[in-house]
Amino acid sequence: MFIVLLKYSAPLEQIDYALPDHRAWVEKQYERGLFLASGRQVPRVGGVIITRPMPRGKLEALLATDPWAEQKLVKYEICEFEATRTAPELMKLNEAVLQG
């Protein structure tokens, strides 16, 4: 799994202008079953995305298609981890992914 930290590299006015396109992109990733959770950081300096397990290269290619990335409005920090303990609901989700 991955935790992706997004850090804004542009003024909030530019971020907000491109927000509808970014939200549409995020929604598409949920529809594809790739994202588990996402939202703004507090204070609003960026965002956070928690993904399902996938190859790191696939995640990097996916992030490159984010409108914010295409417009160079954010930078990403990717943290990969193997969950050794989860809430029961997440374990069921992880098992479903592994079964295909």
Side-chain angles (χ1 to χ4, degrees):
M1 297 177 76
F2 295 94
I3 297 174
V4 181
L5 298 177
L6 293 75
K7 183 174 181 184
Y8 299 145
S9 57
L12 283 178
E13 295 79 22
Q14 288 180 273
I15 296 295
D16 288 340
Y17 183 79
L19 186 57
D21 292 337
H22 170 74
R23 284 186 175 156
W25 175 83
V26 168
E27 181 61 30
K28 182 178 179 182
Q29 307 326 310
Y30 276 104
E31 290 170 2
R32 295 175 64 202
L34 299 176
F35 288 0
L36 294 174
S38 61
R40 293 179 178 171
Q41 291 185 40
V42 177
R44 190 175 176 208
V45 295
V48 178
I49 300 170
I50 300 175
T51 75
R52 292 185 184 268
M54 68 181 78
R56 186 182 182 104
K58 178 178 179 176
L59 175 61
E60 290 171 345
L62 177 65
L63 294 174
T65 67
D66 179 354
W68 280 351
E70 293 174 337
Q71 297 174 45
K72 298 182 181 6
L73 302 177
V74 296
K75 294 184 181 189
Y76 300 102
E77 179 182 344
I78 300 171
C79 175
E80 183 174 5
F81 74 101
E82 292 182 19
T84 56
R85 185 172 180 188
T86 64
E89 307 86 82
L90 282 181
M91 185 56 90
K92 289 177 187 175
L93 290 172
N94 194 36
E95 289 171 1
V97 169
L98 294 175
Q99 292 175 2

